[in-house]
Amino acid sequence: YAAANNPYISASLSGTQTATIRRHGFSSKKDGAFPFAKISAVELSVFLQDIWQIKNNFTLAYGVRVDVPTFENKFSTNDSLKALTFRDGKKIDVGQAPATQAIFSPRLGINWDVKNDKKTQIRGGLGLFAGPPPFVLISNQAGNNGV
């Protein structure tokens, strides 16, 4: 190592080594490389909405959003963990990606012009809303699986 490229060697010592660096690590890969998890995910979404004017002064808006998160890769499995049985006979396989499941988010909204004069309006809405899944938790399942 040259003094300029090694923080453990002082530049004032003209490149004389003053510390020994030892690195220890474990890898399940034959070449000793760090077993990075290669993960990719896709989230497909569609939103449908319609507005229905029931009366001249009452409008109903309704819709649904559908999200479908999918994982494209099979994760590395940990055979030691897979062989274990947990409480209530539960088995855990960190090599299995979560199943693809559609997430439905329906919504409903109203707009009521109380006196039909555009001065006093009551508006409201409700729905079930979901954000994207926490992909970092799934990537940790694949990347920190003990292999």
Side-chain angles (χ1 to χ4, degrees):
Y1 287 99
N5 295 327
N6 191 331
Y8 297 100
I9 300 173
S10 171
S12 64
L13 296 176
S14 301
T16 304
Q17 185 173 351
T18 59
T20 301
I21 300 171
R22 290 192 173 93
R23 295 185 180 145
H24 300 280
F26 171 77
S27 173
S28 62
K29 299 185 92 170
K30 291 180 181 175
D31 63 356
F34 187 81
F36 288 106
K38 292 180 175 46
I39 300 166
S40 60
V42 173
E43 184 171 10
L44 303 173
S45 301
V46 64
F47 178 72
L48 302 169
Q49 180 175 313
D50 193 14
I51 297 173
W52 178 23
Q53 188 165 1
I54 297 173
K55 289 184 166 185
N56 197 26
N57 65 338
F58 189 84
T59 305
L60 178 71
Y62 53 93
V64 65
R65 178 184 171 113
V66 181
D67 296 298
V68 182
T70 60
F71 292 89
E72 297 178 347
N73 302 47
K74 181 154 175 56
F75 307 153
S76 299
T77 194
N78 182 337
D79 293 326
S80 299
L81 179 65
K82 191 175 179 181
L84 297 175
T85 303
F86 295 91
R87 186 183 342 171
D88 299 328
K90 178 98 172 150
K91 295 272 195 183
I92 296 174
D93 182 6
V94 295
Q96 185 64 43
T100 298
Q101 186 172 8
I103 302 167
F104 291 91
S105 301
R107 64 240 12 237
L108 182 71
I110 64 162
N111 183 358
W112 177 32
D113 184 357
V114 178
K115 295 181 181 178
N116 204 13
D117 60 2
K118 299 198 186 323
K119 290 185 178 180
T120 304
Q121 292 187 345
I122 296 177
R123 296 177 182 170
L126 60 97
L128 298 175
F129 302 98
F135 290 117
V136 68
L137 297 179
I138 307 303
S139 69
N140 284 341
Q141 168 190 327
N144 301 322
N145 64 7
V147 175

